[in-house]
Amino acid sequence: MIERSTADKSPASDPRREMLWQVLAAIPPGRVSSYGRLAQLAGLGRGARLVGRWLGQLPDDTSLPWHRVLNSQGQLSLPADSPSGQEQYQRLLAEGVIIRNRRVNMARYGWPDSL
DNA sequence: AACATGGCTGCTT
DNA sequence: CAAGCAGCCATGT
């Protein structure tokens, strides 16, 4: 029998997100990763955009390092003028990540290194 | 169900 | 290096 429990659609109980949070939490301070990589690592395949969407839905008080996620080119994907964009910039800066022209050296800060 | 929208990517101009 | 284009995939109308 295939039954639908009343609470199997709760985003918070979505196992895919759980995976993502886990991978996300694994990014060391001072390092960065990309939406695509995280998607891959979290078993979301090509769900890069999905990762972005979900990150955007994280609560403000989250302890997850959402700011360590950039696009595949190592650039901050958030609009520079948005609050979140500034936040991300500042946080990375605070972790010692060198950002030049809204972009970081992925070869150096990219995580995981083995690829 | 069709269509538009994303915190994307990779390939080609 | 910037811009265009075509895949990708969950969500929202």
Side-chain angles (χ1 to χ4, degrees):
Chain A
M1 297 299 277
I2 302 172
E3 54 203 78
R4 293 250 169 259
S5 296
T6 52
D8 63 355
K9 285 221 183 269
S10 243
S13 64
D14 190 341
R16 292 171 297 174
R17 293 197 197 209
E18 297 284 330
M19 286 304 303
L20 179 60
W21 303 153
Q22 203 158 296
V23 180
L24 177 59
I27 305 177
R31 305 292 295 283
V32 302
S33 195
S34 79
Y35 301 98
R37 278 203 203 178
L38 289 188
Q40 186 77 42
L41 292 174
L44 298 174
R46 306 250 177 94
R49 307 188 83 145
L50 191 50
V51 169
R53 176 180 293 274
W54 287 352
L55 290 189
Q57 293 171 5
L58 281 171
D60 300 1
D61 59 2
T62 184
S63 54
L64 292 167
W66 55 272
H67 58 278
R68 303 194 190 126
V69 189
L70 317 176
N71 67 31
S72 65
Q73 298 179 65
Q75 304 181 264
L76 283 70
S77 243
L78 268 60
D81 50 6
S82 76
S84 310
Q86 306 256 314
E87 177 74 7
Q88 180 176 41
Y89 187 91
Q90 292 303 330
R91 287 209 196 185
L92 288 176
L93 208 59
E95 292 187 350
V97 176
I98 298 175
I99 305 172
R100 204 175 90 176
N101 213 12
R102 303 203 59 73
R103 174 154 120 200
V104 316
N105 186 331
M106 277 303 259
R108 172 171 173 172
Y109 298 105
W111 179 91
D113 2 71
S114 51
L115 199 59

